[in-house]
């Protein structure tokens, strides 16, 4: 997720509790991504509607994480 911001994400991870909300979003996004990939491979059985719901949730998390990243970047002059 947001690979072009890898340096900022690493910086946020190193600063710890201050960024706990971002890290929860980041981890949840990755969990959803894994579940979607497994469903698309057939390793996990989900309906098309369930997969679509997971994709929408994942996108919302990505949008929220992006907003946090941009704000963090500005606040820390990165």
């Amino acid at each position: 997720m947001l690979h072009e911001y890898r340096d900022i994400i690493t910086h946020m991870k190193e600063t710890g509790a201050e960024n706990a909300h971002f890290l929860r979003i980041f981890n949840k996004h990755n969990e959803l991504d894994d579940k979607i990939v497994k469903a698309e491979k057939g390793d996990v059985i989900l309906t098309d509607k369930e997969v679509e719901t997971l994709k929408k949730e994942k996108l919302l998390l990505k949008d929220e994480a992006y907003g946090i990243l941009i704000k963090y970047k500005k606040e820390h002059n990165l």
Side-chain angles (χ1 to χ4, degrees):
M1 173 176 75
L2 302 167
H3 301 288
E4 62 274 16
Y5 295 99
R6 188 173 298 135
D7 292 342
I8 297 170
I9 293 169
T10 299
H11 190 271
M12 292 177 82
K13 285 181 177 181
E14 291 170 353
T15 59
E18 170 187 344
N19 303 301
H21 180 65
F22 172 81
L23 295 176
R24 279 192 301 276
I25 292 169
F26 184 82
N27 291 332
K28 180 66 177 175
H29 178 278
N30 288 335
E31 289 172 16
L32 289 173
D33 188 54
D34 288 343
K35 192 170 185 178
I36 291 165
V37 168
K38 288 177 181 175
E40 289 174 340
K41 285 182 177 179
D43 296 340
V44 174
I45 306 300
L46 296 175
T47 65
D48 289 343
K49 184 171 176 89
E50 289 171 322
V51 172
E52 189 66 29
T53 299
L54 292 176
K55 287 181 178 182
K56 287 177 183 178
E57 183 179 350
K58 183 179 132 182
L59 184 58
L60 289 172
L61 291 171
K62 184 176 182 178
D63 288 345
E64 185 176 356
Y66 177 76
I68 293 169
L69 278 171
I70 296 305
K71 181 179 176 188
Y72 185 88
K73 182 179 177 181
K74 285 181 184 179
E75 289 173 353
H76 293 85
N77 297 315
L78 300 173

